[in-house]
């Protein structure tokens, strides 16, 4: 007799009280012939040596924000000058622990998001819904394949990846308990580990929603959607969704479609829910990132706000209340003190909201919340009186008059904006200085808390800077999700050989050091130079607000393919998984390196060969910390804006420590000294000029061909001359032979090498005879991992 | 080391507000000093260096001050693109491409010999984004013995010595910077 085993619980008729539970049935893997690599579903220890290798080169750097610790009751302890606290931890290790905790929070955010979404979707669509990302994608879950060693085929298969990620997050969080690690490098290894789990969490979340909600699947030419403060038609009720998990707000679009009302309403989003709403329904619009929350709410634009989770202001309810805007909280991660009304009838909930009995409700029943939201928005819209946005002219004058130039606001503003000077000029009738603050103000509200005169500073800034605010209105190309396998096939070689000079991935939050325009300038510099530019999250929506003189955003100027000179928006925060995925697929599809549980080899491949650099111009969230740290473990360097120093930790190599810069060369079977490329895994830059030059320099990889190195050095040198006024100090380190030199500058550079660096040049042949760290070798095959060296030399 | 040079009472300012009121630490805060003290520290140093940042791109006055440092023989590490206006005024910075983050990492290493073969003992910072410089000064305070001096417009609590807050009066700030360079002795 043959039993066909299925998952579930079975009761055998004749055996009372006996049931048999069959868990996962492991089906024979037919198509996936790839052998299982050394680290499927790794624990904390499996990749520890890889991390230690990275840390030897890229030594952790700590910039304490607080030099004391008050995490346990033996404290508070003074850890300054690297003293130890009552538990024995020193300042460096305490900071490493703090970074580990931040990465745990980031990883937990994406992973809990993924779990919530996956459970919900499986309930709705069943666990057998196939993971089909379209005909252009065969390698559909590169991070999960690489890290977990499984190849998910259905929604249900994603559970195993998530189970692994959750268990690793808990383990790493455990390590941060008092009395555990005493070595900061071990904490860094754990930060990297949990951040790698974060990449799995993100991938699960985005694959699940793409499959279930039919979001765009790797199409380069997705629709353009309206983006910015000035996008909504104020003659219609406005429903505003805010947060990061579209699962809750999605039914609102369905409800409106179903009732034929979609064109009578405006749905606009803030933060990543906005991206995902537009991926779901391109009639939705994007207001902007987190710092647009108070701009939008204080302007009174929404008729209802629906919040979900992460990166939402913790004073959202009071901000909405002050403007008479009802709030529906939907995620159990952020209930906002509101009553759970899931069990009540729609009309009763609507009545209580409209009568003011409650400023809002908690509702996570999608259909109910959609109906409530639409009914409430309709009514609030009817009641709304036409008012001037932010302040009337009279109110503005009154507010400005109150200022005594005490500067309390300046000393609390994250950017030390000179509000006092703006107010003074305003008192004299010149509002231009206040207006100029709009460009940089992140509407955090700290200044208002500090102001002894209770001036509504944000409203003053937004009222005076209204023109600047509304003019930042444009188009974002809807997030496309993953990169196609065929695209990878086309660009894999030019990226690895260096002819495509690099991939710049601009992701993350918006705590920029200066005006938003800088971000566009930085990215356009690379687009014009035919780098591949990839973006997601808040960076992706901010560049959708900025138009050039011809009225075009970058999305309108540059195509959405993953190719030289193109600009790819992958989507929301969780769509960052596809950027990591593209890097992984280069090693797999182009170089045929196996993925299955083979993390170290792929990370080593990336570090030595793939000129991809992450860029986060205004990072602030814990998720940004874990995303970046996950990229670092994968061998991708990251450049952050100056606020990034407040993560307190960087990984910065020392080019002058020549003993740190080596690889094993599989071809020559020797340990070879190499140029310090890349010399940093994560560091902060201060200005856009510096950002541009650092991004170009960090694209250099040891494996570049001469043609590739020549192209990369050309950009690096040109950009350094353009923005720093001189050749970069370290350019000669990257020269292996005269063929690496930028053609146009060859003679001058040879001369400099001879005169300033003592290299020997054969001037008849225009050849370098002596000087470089190493010679170029066409078959050069670098690795820093002994096991990988053994694997390919013992073949 | 120059840091041990005594600062007289009349050479100090009363403790000023931190540039960010919540940037609190339990360890020492900078001594807010008058320009003469800065000049003296630099004059006494074995191998001082000036590090410049972003605001040289926005305020030509700061470029002029840096040029004067250079003319007195104090070398310059230019970060953040501040090299460009300096080079236009014939300054040859020790480095142009490394970020302040990288420079700080190097300085924290007692084995680093600097760009000119000798470790720096006194580092003067000019023209930085306050919150960025603050983190770097905190790293220097906790993990190195180098004397750090911030001569920016905001008081920097984590430096060893800092100007007081001069945010109300730009002219006074520039005047103080001029006094610093006036007090610098020519170095060989
Ligand atoms: S709201 Fe704007 S001006 Fe006020 S503290 Fe925040 S960033 Fe500064
Ligand atoms: S805190 Fe208030 S009163 Fe003081 S300068 Fe700022 S706006 Fe004016």
């Amino acid at each position: 007799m043959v039993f066909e085993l299925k998952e579930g619980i079975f009761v055998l008729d004749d055996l009372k009280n006996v049931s048999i539970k069959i868990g996962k049935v492991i089906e024979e893997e037919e198509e996936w012939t790839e052998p299982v690599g050394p680290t499927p579903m790794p624990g904390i220890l499996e990749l520890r040596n890889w991390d230690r290798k990275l840390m030897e080169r890229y030594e952790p750097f700590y910039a304490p924000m607080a030099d004391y610790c008050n995490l346990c009751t033996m404290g508070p302890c003074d850890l300054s000058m690297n003293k130890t606290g009552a538990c024995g931890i020193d300042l460096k290790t305490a900071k490493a622990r703090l970074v580990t905790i931040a990465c745990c929070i980031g990883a937990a955010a994406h992973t809990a998001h993924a779990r919530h979404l996956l459970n919900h979707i499986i309930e709705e669509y069943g666990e057998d819904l196939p993971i089909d990302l379209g005909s252009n994608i065969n390698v559909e879950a590169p991070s999960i394949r690489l890290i977990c060693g499984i190849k998910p085929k259905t929604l249900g298969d994603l559970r195993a990846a998530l189970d692994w990620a959750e268990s690793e997050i808990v383990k790493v969080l455990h390590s941060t308990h008092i009395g555990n690690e005493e070595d900061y490098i071990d904490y860094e290894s754990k930060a990297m580990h949990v951040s790698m789990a974060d990449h799995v969490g993100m991938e699960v979340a985005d694959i699940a929603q793409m499959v279930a909600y039919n979001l765009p699947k790797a199409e380069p030419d997705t629709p353009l959607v309206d983006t910015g403060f000035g996008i909504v038609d104020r003659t219609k009720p406005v429903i505003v969704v805010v947060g990061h998990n579209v699962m809750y707000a999605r039914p609102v679009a369905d409800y409106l479609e179903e009732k034929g009302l979609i064109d009578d309403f405006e749905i606009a989003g803030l933060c990543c829910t906005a991206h995902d709403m537009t991926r779901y329904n391109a009639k939705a619009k994007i207001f902007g990132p987190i710092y647009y929350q108070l701009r939008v709410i204080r302007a009174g634009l929404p008729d209802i706000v629906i919040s979900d989770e992460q990166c939402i202001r913790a004073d959202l309810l009071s901000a909405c209340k002050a403007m008479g805007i009802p709030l529906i909280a939907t995620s159990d991660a952020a209930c906002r003190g509101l009553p759970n009304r899931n069990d009540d009838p729609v009309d009763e909930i609507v009545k209580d909201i409209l009568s003011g009995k409650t400023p809002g409700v908690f509702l996570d029943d999608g259909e109910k919340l959609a109906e409530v939201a639409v009914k409430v928005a309709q009514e609030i819209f009817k009641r709304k009186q036409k008012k001037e946005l932010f302040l009337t002219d009279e109110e503005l004058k009154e507010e400005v008059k109150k200022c005594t130039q005490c500067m309390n606001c300046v000393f609390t503003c994250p950017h030390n904006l000179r509000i006092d000077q703006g107010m003074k000029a305003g008192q004299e009738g010149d509002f231009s200085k206040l207006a100029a603050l709009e460009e940089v103000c992140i509407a955090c509200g700290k200044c208002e808390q500090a102001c002894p005169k209770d001036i509504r500073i944000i409203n003053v800034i937004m009222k005076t800077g209204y023109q600047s605010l509304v003019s930042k209105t444009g188009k974002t190309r809807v997030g496309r999700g993953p990169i196609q396998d065929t695209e990878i096939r086309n660009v894999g070689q030019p990226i690895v050989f260096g002819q495509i000079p690099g991939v710049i991935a601009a992701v993350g939050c918006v705590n920029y050091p200066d005006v938003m325009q800088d971000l566009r300038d930085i990215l356009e510099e690379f687009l014009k130079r035919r780098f591949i530019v990839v973006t997601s999250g808040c960076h992706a929506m901010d560049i959708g607000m900025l138009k050039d003189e011809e009225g075009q955003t970058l999305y309108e100027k540059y195509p959405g393919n993953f190719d030289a000179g193109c600009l790819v928006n992958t989507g929301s925060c969780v769509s960052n998984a596809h950027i990591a995925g593209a890097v992984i697929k280069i090693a797999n599809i182009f170089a045929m390196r196996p993925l299955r549980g083979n993390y170290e080899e792929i990370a080593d491949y990336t570090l030595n060969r793939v000129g991809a650099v992450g860029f986060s111009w205004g990072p602030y969230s814990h998720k940004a910390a874990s995303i970046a740290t996950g990229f670092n473990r994968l061998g991708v360097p990251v450049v952050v804006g100056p606020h990034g120093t407040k993560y307190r930790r960087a990984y910065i190599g020392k080019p002058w420590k020549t003993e740190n810069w080596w690889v094993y060369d599989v071809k020559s079977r020797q340990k070879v000294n190499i140029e310090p490329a890349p010399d940093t895994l994560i560091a902060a830059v201060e200005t856009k000029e510096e950002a541009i030059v650092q991004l170009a320099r960090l694209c250099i990889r040891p494996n570049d061909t001469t043609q590739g190195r020549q192209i990369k050095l050309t950009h690096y040198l040109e950009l350094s001359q353009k923005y720093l006024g001189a050749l970069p100090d370290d350019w000669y380190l990257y020269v292996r032979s005269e063929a690496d030199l930028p053609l146009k500058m060859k003679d001058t550079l040879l001369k400099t090498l001879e005169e300033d660096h003592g290299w020997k040049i054969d001037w008849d042949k225009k050849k370098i005879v002596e000087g470089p760290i190493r010679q170029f070798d066409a078959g050069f095959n670098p690795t820093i991992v002994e096991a990988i060296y053994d694997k390919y030399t013992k073949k | 080391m120059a840091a041990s040079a005594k600062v007289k009472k009349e050479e100090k300012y009363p403790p000023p507000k931190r540039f960010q009121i919540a940037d609190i630490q339990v360890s020492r805060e900078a001594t807010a000093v008058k320009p003469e003290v800065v000049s003296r520290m630099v004059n006494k140093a074995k191998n001082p260096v000036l590090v410049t940042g972003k605001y040289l791109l926005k305020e030509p006055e700061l470029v002029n001050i840096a040029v004067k440092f250079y003319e007195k023989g104090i070398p310059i590490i230019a970060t953040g693109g501040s090299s460009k206006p300096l080079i236009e005024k014939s300054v040859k910075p020790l480095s142009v491409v490394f970020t302040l983050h990288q420079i700080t990492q190097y300085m924290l290493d007692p084995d680093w010999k600097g760009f000119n073969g000798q470790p720096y003992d006194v580092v003067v910072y000019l023209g930085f984004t306050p919150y960025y410089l603050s983190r770097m000064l905190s790293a220097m305070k906790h993990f190195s013995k180098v004397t750090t001096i911030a001569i920016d417009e905001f008081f920097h609590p984590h430096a060893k010595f800092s100007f007081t807050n001069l945010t109300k009066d730009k002219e006074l700030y520039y005047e103080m910077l001029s006094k610093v360079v006036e007090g610098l002795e020519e170095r060989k």
Side-chain angles (χ1 to χ4, degrees):
Chain A
M1 197 177 6
V2 177
F3 289 105
E4 198 184 328
L5 296 183
K6 292 216 166 115
E7 287 171 49
I9 296 176
F10 303 86
V11 181
L12 302 184
D13 284 346
D14 297 334
L15 294 172
K16 277 190 192 133
N17 303 325
V18 175
S19 65
I20 299 172
K21 180 170 184 237
I22 296 177
K24 189 89 194 121
V25 180
I26 310 288
E27 282 167 28
E28 200 164 328
E29 189 55 75
E30 285 156 17
E31 321 108 85
W32 210 20
T33 48
E34 212 170 87
V36 185
T39 57
M41 304 214 178
I44 283 174
L45 296 179
E46 276 85 339
L47 293 163
R48 184 169 174 246
N49 285 344
W50 167 248
D51 301 334
R52 288 195 162 255
K53 273 225 154 72
L54 291 177
M55 295 298 99
E56 265 168 36
R57 251 198 203 177
Y58 307 103
E59 295 176 35
F61 165 103
Y62 298 102
M65 184 64 93
D67 54 5
Y68 54 90
C69 179
N70 54 7
L71 267 185
C72 84
T73 68
M74 286 190 286
C77 296
D78 171 9
L79 306 182
S80 62
M81 320 307 165
N82 214 25
K83 290 198 271 291
T84 54
C87 68
I89 202 164
D90 65 19
L91 184 58
K92 274 193 185 175
T93 315
K95 293 302 128 186
R97 175 171 65 171
L98 209 61
V99 180
T100 307
I101 293 170
C103 292
C104 280
I105 299 173
H110 289 135
T111 307
H113 170 180
R115 175 63 77 183
H116 213 153
L117 192 63
L118 187 64
N119 285 353
H120 181 82
I121 286 173
I122 286 180
E123 210 173 284
E124 206 173 326
Y125 299 90
E127 61 181 16
D128 295 328
L129 189 72
I131 293 172
D132 177 3
L133 301 183
S135 56
N136 289 315
I137 293 192
N138 285 323
V139 182
E140 68 296 293
S143 283
I144 295 172
R145 289 180 181 207
L146 177 68
I147 297 163
C148 302
I150 57 172
K151 182 178 163 184
K153 287 192 208 141
T154 62
L155 280 183
D157 293 344
L158 293 172
R159 284 194 192 117
L162 221 40
D163 289 347
W164 170 82
E166 287 166 345
S167 110
E168 296 312 302
I169 294 167
V170 174
K171 281 196 252 170
V172 173
L173 194 53
H174 161 219
S175 79
T176 64
H177 190 274
I178 188 168
N180 280 327
E181 285 304 348
E182 65 175 279
D183 175 30
Y184 62 88
I185 301 283
D186 263 319
Y187 269 132
E188 294 304 343
S189 171
K190 289 174 169 67
M192 288 196 156
H193 188 62
V194 82
S195 302
M196 183 180 74
D198 179 44
H199 284 217
V200 168
M202 290 193 290
E203 190 166 84
V204 170
D206 215 39
I207 288 181
Q209 63 180 1
M210 277 192 302
V211 170
Y213 300 153
N214 200 24
L215 309 186
K217 299 185 181 80
E219 297 128 35
D221 208 9
T222 50
L224 290 163
V225 291
D226 291 338
T227 306
F229 184 85
I231 51 171
V232 290
D233 175 353
R234 286 166 63 203
T235 63
K236 298 176 183 178
V238 178
I239 298 174
V240 173
V241 296
V242 47
H244 287 78
N245 191 344
V246 76
M247 161 186 128
Y248 305 100
R250 182 188 65 101
V252 177
D254 291 349
Y255 181 84
L256 289 174
E257 291 275 12
E258 217 176 276
K259 299 277 170 200
L261 292 171
I262 191 88
D263 295 323
D264 301 337
F265 279 73
E266 291 278 19
I267 305 181
L270 287 155
C271 243
C272 280
T273 294
H275 271 307
D276 287 343
M277 273 307 267
T278 61
R279 290 166 85 191
Y280 183 63
N281 188 321
K283 284 189 175 155
K285 297 176 177 180
I286 300 174
F287 262 134
I290 183 171
Y291 75 107
Y292 267 48
Q293 282 177 73
L294 287 189
R295 281 170 167 80
V296 164
I297 291 167
R298 292 213 185 164
L301 297 180
D303 294 301
I304 190 154
V305 173
I306 302 171
S307 70
D308 53 76
E309 58 203 31
Q310 304 158 34
C311 298
I312 301 173
R313 289 194 60 90
D315 58 359
L316 184 71
L317 181 62
S318 58
C320 286
K321 244 200 290 196
M323 293 303 298
I325 302 165
L327 173 69
I328 302 180
T330 60
S331 164
D332 60 8
C335 305
R336 306 189 175 276
L338 293 167
N340 183 345
R341 301 293 297 269
N342 276 313
D343 295 332
D344 297 338
V346 167
D347 289 341
E348 213 173 282
I349 305 170
V350 172
K351 196 174 106 216
D352 287 352
I353 294 175
L354 291 175
S355 68
K357 193 172 160 197
T358 174
V361 294
F362 177 89
L363 270 181
D364 63 359
D365 172 335
E367 280 169 29
K368 196 170 275 182
L369 101 80
E371 205 179 328
V372 170
V374 169
K375 287 185 170 162
V376 170
Q378 252 166 341
E379 194 48 40
I380 295 284
F381 173 74
K382 272 191 228 151
R383 291 183 192 175
K384 200 153 66 180
Q385 291 155 4
K386 270 243 168 281
K387 273 217 304 200
E388 274 200 63
L389 303 187
F390 301 114
L391 295 170
T392 63
D393 292 344
E394 263 325 291
E395 286 169 328
L396 173 67
K397 278 190 200 137
E398 283 307 307
E399 291 291 307
V400 169
K401 211 164 77 186
K402 290 194 271 180
C403 176
T404 60
Q405 281 83 50
C406 71
M407 289 182 69
N408 281 358
C409 51
V410 179
F411 284 87
T412 188
C413 172
H415 295 113
N416 302 104
L417 293 182
R418 296 306 302 266
I419 301 155
D420 61 319
Q421 292 175 348
M423 294 283 182
K424 182 139 195 286
Q427 287 166 350
E428 289 153 10
D430 169 13
F431 290 102
S432 64
K433 280 192 172 171
L434 280 168
L437 300 179
E438 189 281 326
E439 288 275 341
V440 195
C441 171
I442 55 169
C444 68
K446 279 170 72 179
C447 51
E448 294 185 354
Q449 299 290 313
C451 178
K453 299 287 174 191
D454 289 328
I455 300 174
R456 286 176 282 170
I457 298 172
I458 295 179
N459 292 44
V460 168
I461 292 175
M462 297 309 150
K463 168 77 184 176
T464 53
Y466 187 72
Q467 273 319 312
S468 136
L469 183 56
V470 280
S471 69
K472 289 199 284 287
T473 298
K475 301 267 185 203
T476 299
R477 193 181 301 113
V478 166
R480 60 170 273 186
I483 309 305
Q484 301 172 0
D485 296 3
T486 37
E487 287 174 309
I488 298 289
R489 231 163 259 132
N490 293 337
V491 298
Q493 179 167 335
I495 290 173
V496 171
F497 289 175
Q499 292 99 332
I500 289 182
V503 181
I504 306 294
V507 310
C509 343
V510 286
N511 200 6
Y512 306 136
D514 219 320
V515 294
M516 198 200 276
Q517 177 66 30
D518 286 348
L519 178 64
R520 179 180 165 131
D521 294 346
I522 294 168
L523 299 187
E524 190 150 25
E525 183 72 66
F526 289 102
L527 285 163
K528 282 190 198 149
R529 290 172 179 270
R530 300 189 54 77
F531 285 60
I532 300 176
V533 177
V534 190
T535 184
S536 70
C538 288
H539 279 33
M541 58 180 73
D542 273 7
I543 54 173
M545 295 183 195
L546 300 169
K547 297 183 294 254
D548 61 9
E549 280 132 22
E550 275 87 58
Q552 284 189 313
T553 66
L554 290 181
Y555 293 113
E556 290 158 296
K557 275 180 90 172
Y558 299 92
N561 310 67
F562 189 75
D563 205 345
C566 298
L567 172 63
V568 177
N569 172 18
T570 58
S572 59
C573 275
V574 289
S575 314
N576 279 314
H578 309 304
I579 302 177
V583 169
I584 295 166
K585 290 207 288 189
I586 289 171
N588 179 238
I589 296 174
F590 160 66
M592 316 279 282
R593 299 283 180 126
L595 288 191
R596 193 173 193 174
N598 194 29
Y599 190 87
E600 199 172 26
E601 180 171 348
I602 300 298
D604 177 65
Y605 183 93
T606 306
L607 180 70
N608 286 307
R609 291 170 174 80
V610 182
V613 186
F615 177 50
S616 194
W617 190 220
Y620 65 70
S621 76
H622 305 118
K623 295 188 297 173
S626 59
I627 294 169
T629 307
F631 272 109
N632 288 164
R633 194 184 221 188
L634 188 58
V636 179
V638 175
V639 172
V640 291
H643 280 292
T645 54
K646 294 182 212 164
Y647 285 122
R648 306 165 180 86
R649 183 267 281 135
Y651 299 135
I652 301 176
K654 299 169 181 170
W656 43 275
K657 276 197 170 174
T658 45
E659 67 276 16
N660 283 354
W661 304 96
W662 57 266
V663 293
Y664 300 109
D665 176 20
V666 171
K667 187 193 171 204
S668 66
R669 308 207 166 198
Q670 277 176 359
K671 198 170 174 179
V672 181
N673 289 332
I674 55 154
E675 57 278 25
D679 76 344
T680 295
L681 271 189
I682 184 162
V685 291
E686 193 187 14
T687 59
K688 77 169 174 188
E689 291 79 4
E690 189 164 58
I692 290 172
V693 178
Q694 284 301 322
L695 288 167
R697 109 186 245 282
L698 289 172
C699 287
I700 299 174
R701 291 293 175 280
N703 193 62
D704 298 336
T705 58
T706 46
Q707 193 198 353
R709 182 64 58 86
Q710 190 194 80
I711 293 169
K712 289 187 185 186
L713 277 181
T714 303
H715 291 298
Y716 178 35
L717 269 54
E718 277 180 12
L719 288 168
S720 182
Q721 282 180 316
K722 179 173 172 187
Y723 291 107
L724 309 182
L727 290 177
D729 317 281
D730 60 347
W731 68 271
Y732 65 96
L733 296 176
Y734 305 108
V735 178
R736 300 159 301 181
S737 81
E738 57 291 336
D740 287 346
L741 294 172
L743 278 180
K744 277 192 252 165
M745 299 185 240
K746 194 166 175 180
D747 285 356
T748 333
L749 294 175
L750 282 173
K751 212 160 186 309
T752 313
L753 288 172
E754 188 179 55
E755 285 170 7
D756 295 357
H757 301 285
W759 289 22
K760 284 203 181 128
I761 312 292
D762 176 341
W763 282 102
D764 290 336
K765 294 183 184 142
K766 290 205 175 159
K767 266 178 113 51
I768 294 169
V769 183
E770 204 182 294
I773 297 171
R774 68 179 170 107
Q775 302 296 318
F776 171 72
D777 177 347
F780 187 56
N781 188 353
T783 171
I784 58 169
V785 181
E786 286 79 9
I788 293 163
Y789 176 76
D790 286 349
K791 176 174 163 183
Y792 288 103
T793 48
K794 286 183 182 151
K795 250 185 180 175
Chain B
M1 178 170 288
S4 61
K6 287 269 177 305
V7 181
K8 291 184 224 119
K9 206 171 162 199
E10 60 276 16
E11 293 175 329
K12 294 185 203 173
Y13 286 98
K17 243 186 197 171
R18 293 178 295 271
F19 78 96
Q20 174 55 258
I21 50 156
D23 192 347
I24 297 167
Q25 305 211 1
V26 296
S27 51
R28 64 149 175 83
E29 293 217 344
T31 312
V33 292
K34 297 193 173 166
E36 304 77 47
V37 182
V38 178
S39 322
R40 199 165 70 222
M41 299 281 169
V42 176
N43 291 339
K44 285 191 172 178
K46 274 205 202 99
N47 194 24
V49 69
L50 176 74
V51 189
T52 55
K54 169 177 176 171
Y55 284 90
L56 271 74
L57 294 170
K58 304 204 170 198
E59 295 177 40
E61 292 85 351
L62 300 187
V63 178
N64 293 337
I65 293 294
V67 170
K68 285 182 185 144
F69 264 83
Y70 183 74
E71 286 167 354
K72 294 275 175 116
I74 319 294
I76 298 179
I77 295 174
T79 72
S82 61
S83 48
K84 197 167 181 192
L86 288 171
I87 290 167
E88 282 162 9
K89 298 215 163 204
S90 306
V91 170
K92 281 194 182 148
L94 289 174
S95 81
V96 302
V97 85
F98 299 106
T99 62
L100 179 63
H101 221 163
Q102 287 163 310
I103 296 294
T104 313
Q105 170 80 320
Y106 306 163
M107 284 188 180
L108 291 175
D109 191 327
D111 292 338
W112 191 49
K113 296 282 182 294
F115 291 110
N116 43 1
Q118 218 190 347
Y120 305 110
D121 56 345
V122 170
V123 184
V124 183
Y125 297 88
L126 177 70
F128 284 95
T129 305
Y131 55 86
Y132 185 15
L133 179 58
S134 179
R135 296 282 57 74
M136 299 304 112
L137 290 171
S138 157
M140 293 293 281
K141 169 165 85 173
H142 294 298
F143 307 120
S144 89
K145 299 218 179 311
V146 177
T147 299
T148 55
I149 306 175
I151 52 170
D152 278 346
E153 229 179 314
F154 282 93
F155 172 68
H156 267 286
H158 310 314
K160 179 91 182 170
F161 301 100
S162 167
F163 272 2
T164 186
N165 287 310
L166 295 157
T167 44
K168 282 226 189 258
D169 190 345
K170 205 80 178 179
E171 290 316 308
L172 180 60
Y173 171 55
Y174 293 145
E175 231 171 76
M176 281 180 62
L177 287 175
S178 299
K179 273 199 186 145
V180 172
V181 287
E182 277 163 28
L184 291 177
E185 290 161 7
E186 200 100 20
R187 296 180 80 89
K188 304 260 151 50

